Amino acid sequence: MPKAKWNHGTPRIIRLGCLLMASLTACSTGRPQYVWNDLGAQGRRDTTQNQTTPTLQSWGAEAEGPNVQDPTIAPGFLLTMSSLTDGKLNGDFRVDFDGMVQLPYDFNVNTAGVTLSQLKKKLLALYQPYFKTSPDIDLHVKERRYWVDVRGLVQKPGRYLVDPNTSLDQVIGLAGGTDKETPPEFARIQKGQKVFMLDLNQYYGEGENQPQILGWLGGELVFLQREYSGAFGDRSASAPYRLPIYVLGEVRKPGEYPLKPGSDLIDTLTQANGFTEAADLDHIEIIRRTNGRKRVYEFSWNQFQRAPSLVQGDVLFVHAERQAKAELKVQIAAILVSILTSAAIVYELDRTNNLNR
């Protein structure tokens, strides 16, 4: 199958190139038709498929003060655990972005929605089989900070620990500031099914009347984007939020894109400016969550017409060319062998010359 190379250009050129490539690959050797592969349960019922989520008018809540004796555990909290019976249980443990915390003896405990006292009871039951008597475990919150994942049009996307009342400006600053060439116009804050869409012009321009971020909850995704992924033709923050399509991997502009009415797979790839030169066109996936389970549909580009229609929340992932990586490794190995061989020949000639003197 011919290797496709994408050039920067107008969406029409990209779409024409995409259609041309599809016609060229349509006659290639057929591959078995793929089916949805079930990747297992995700722990909760997925209610987002083909639905809209109402956008909130404010985000978060004021953090529980340090005097609260039984705080609710949040992603980012630093917990201190101690035991007089077993020193291996002593230490500080950070709650991960997903609410899990890794503890001694390879226990990965889910803290989502539990208070400190509830978590302590859970740990006592968990470690009971390792003690002859009832385990003595003390647990308290050492640091109350929150994980926030900042993505989209920022200089340094990633996960950052923030204080409960950190402003959105400061969060963006932790991520290196916004993209200079393509500054964002909207910020989307999301955790689970809760979504808060924020017009940045309104946020920066209305002073005390700006949309409110009351405080971080921990585990939020903050996505800085150019377009509003709500109802088309309505850019107001009160419009229902519609899940976008996430285009990742070997495309020129990975990110999330709105699913426009009547659009297809080619339209979505056009928005992402097409494949990179490293794209493996035989290894493309559509990942979808349905009823709490994750499924993946694998296909080759020459079978794109057989692929299911994209729906809200789908992830379109284009893998890298494995053959190119393998060829690079072979080339590096050949160069190293050549260098070693040349060095051995030079060494042997020098040794022979020294013996003949």
Side-chain angles (χ1 to χ4, degrees):
M1 183 180 65
K3 183 70 175 179
K5 295 183 179 181
W6 290 73
N7 297 316
H8 292 286
T10 64
R12 179 175 294 180
I13 293 175
I14 295 173
R15 183 176 176 86
L16 288 174
C18 192
L19 291 171
L20 177 60
M21 181 167 52
S23 64
L24 290 174
T25 57
C27 299
S28 60
T29 303
R31 294 161 56 93
Q33 186 170 358
Y34 290 105
V35 296
W36 285 104
N37 297 313
D38 193 348
L39 299 183
Q42 300 301 304
R44 62 174 176 79
R45 179 176 176 80
D46 191 332
T47 60
T48 63
Q49 199 66 39
N50 291 319
Q51 296 183 13
T52 60
T53 302
T55 304
L56 304 176
Q57 297 303 311
S58 63
W59 180 263
E62 293 184 5
E64 297 174 325
N67 295 327
V68 175
Q69 297 299 317
D70 193 20
T72 301
I73 306 300
F77 275 21
L78 186 64
L79 306 177
T80 295
M81 185 168 65
S82 59
S83 171
L84 295 176
T85 307
D86 189 347
K88 291 183 179 179
L89 298 182
N90 299 336
D92 296 336
F93 307 93
R94 180 79 67 182
V95 180
D96 291 336
F97 183 84
D98 59 358
M100 306 298 290
V101 58
Q102 186 69 41
L103 297 175
Y105 298 107
D106 294 327
F107 284 124
N108 202 17
V109 181
N110 188 355
T111 68
V114 303
T115 64
L116 184 65
S117 61
Q118 291 171 337
L119 179 59
K120 183 176 179 179
K121 290 180 180 179
K122 182 184 291 190
L123 296 183
L124 289 172
L126 188 66
Y127 284 107
Q128 177 62 60
Y130 294 86
F131 291 81
K132 294 182 179 179
T133 60
S134 179
D136 65 310
I137 295 177
D138 186 31
L139 187 70
H140 69 271
V141 178
K142 183 176 182 178
E143 182 181 83
R144 304 188 188 197
R145 305 186 74 195
Y146 299 83
W147 281 120
V148 175
D149 192 350
V150 188
R151 299 288 172 178
L153 298 174
V154 291
Q155 299 287 339
K156 297 188 297 182
R159 291 176 179 174
Y160 298 93
L161 282 170
V162 302
D163 293 324
N165 296 321
T166 301
S167 68
L168 179 62
D169 304 29
Q170 293 171 317
V171 171
I172 295 174
L174 290 173
T178 58
D179 190 303
K180 304 303 181 184
E181 296 182 0
T182 311
E185 294 186 10
F186 296 91
R188 174 170 61 83
I189 304 175
Q190 181 174 356
K191 181 176 181 179
Q193 304 307 308
K194 294 182 178 180
V195 176
F196 177 49
M197 290 296 298
L198 188 150
D199 187 321
L200 293 177
N201 293 323
Q202 180 185 5
Y203 174 78
Y204 289 119
E206 295 197 3
E208 295 182 356
N209 295 323
Q210 66 186 12
Q212 295 296 309
I213 299 178
L214 304 177
W216 302 103
L217 304 173
E220 287 102 329
L221 169 66
V222 179
F223 199 94
L224 281 298
Q225 56 197 64
R226 187 69 176 174
E227 300 294 335
Y228 179 68
S229 300
F232 291 96
D234 185 352
R235 290 162 60 92
S236 68
S238 62
Y241 174 73
R242 300 181 185 277
L243 287 173
I245 300 296
Y246 303 89
V247 186
L248 306 175
E250 294 299 329
V251 292
R252 295 204 178 275
K253 288 179 61 179
E256 60 177 46
Y257 298 93
L259 182 61
K260 299 179 180 179
S263 64
D264 56 15
L265 186 63
I266 295 178
D267 293 318
T268 301
L269 286 168
T270 299
Q271 292 183 83
N273 273 11
F275 304 113
T276 68
E277 294 183 356
D280 183 355
L281 301 185
D282 283 328
H283 196 187
I284 305 174
E285 293 178 344
I286 297 175
I287 303 170
R288 180 178 299 173
R289 287 183 299 173
T290 304
N291 296 327
R293 304 190 73 85
K294 185 180 290 186
R295 300 186 301 166
V296 60
Y297 183 91
E298 302 179 58
F299 65 100
S300 174
W301 179 243
N302 65 348
Q303 297 177 322
F304 82 98
Q305 292 176 320
R306 300 184 186 179
S309 299
L310 295 172
V311 299
Q312 297 174 29
D314 277 357
V315 177
L316 179 63
F317 192 89
V318 182
H319 287 263
E321 179 66 61
R322 297 177 181 177
Q323 183 177 0
K325 293 181 179 179
E327 290 176 354
L328 179 60
K329 291 180 180 179
V330 171
Q331 292 174 2
I332 293 174
I335 292 172
L336 291 176
V337 170
S338 177
I339 292 173
L340 292 174
T341 302
S342 299
I345 292 173
V346 171
Y347 173 81
E348 185 63 27
L349 288 175
D350 289 343
R351 190 176 70 84
T352 302
N353 291 335
N354 291 333
L355 291 175
N356 292 335
R357 288 177 182 176

